[in-house]
Structure formats: C-alpha cells, structure tokens
Amino acid sequence: GSEMCIETDQVLGVFCNASNCEIKRRWKELINQYHPDRAQANGADRGTIEAYTLKMAEINNAYQNIMKSRKTI
C-alpha cells in the first residue's frame, strides 16, 4: 500500500514504481555507503558507527518489506 511507497521513497530513495532491478541496485549502493565496517575503517567515531548500524537495519528492513510485498523473496 501507500505505506510501502513512503518506505521505498524515504529509506531507499527510489520511487514506488521502480523496477526490482532498480531497487536492488539502490539497496546495494546504500549498503556500501552506510556499512559500519567501512565507517570504522575510515576512522569514524563510535556515534557515527552506531548511526550507520541503525541506518543499515532500516535499509535492509525496507528492502525486504518491498521485495516481500512484490513476492520476490
């Protein structure tokens, strides 16, 4: 429903009607961008690493929900 659209738009930064391929590509980009290990390797402080960990969970959750709603998982 519309809640899924909001999640897709806000969390993954792609439109609701984006193809599965587009959503997956965007998800991978975000995972790379917000990976806590990468932040740590770049010398990020603990607060940043914790924020990235939460962001990763949000990104993964949104991705899984979208794919489940599309029956691709």
Side-chain angles (χ1 to χ4, degrees), residues 9-13 25-42 44-60:
D9 293 351
Q10 290 182 347
V11 179
L12 296 177
R25 188 174 65 231
R26 181 66 183 144
W27 171 69
K28 284 182 175 178
E29 285 173 10
L30 288 168
I31 290 298
N32 284 329
Q33 188 179 336
Y34 288 104
H35 204 290
D37 293 348
R38 178 175 275 190
Q40 194 169 14
N42 291 335
D45 61 28
R46 190 172 168 166
T48 302
I49 292 164
E50 284 176 9
Y52 274 32
T53 303
L54 291 173
K55 185 74 175 169
M56 280 274 287
E58 188 183 22
I59 292 162
N60 281 325

Side-chain angles (χ1 to χ4, degrees), residues 4-5 8-9 12-27 63 66-67 69-70 72:
M4 197 62 69
C5 282
T8 314
D9 293 351
L12 296 177
V14 289
F15 291 112
C16 211
N17 59 357
S19 71
N20 289 347
C21 285
E22 284 178 274
I23 291 171
K24 189 169 191 172
R25 188 174 65 231
R26 181 66 183 144
W27 171 69
Y63 178 72
I66 292 152
M67 291 310 186
S69 76
R70 293 176 174 213
T72 56

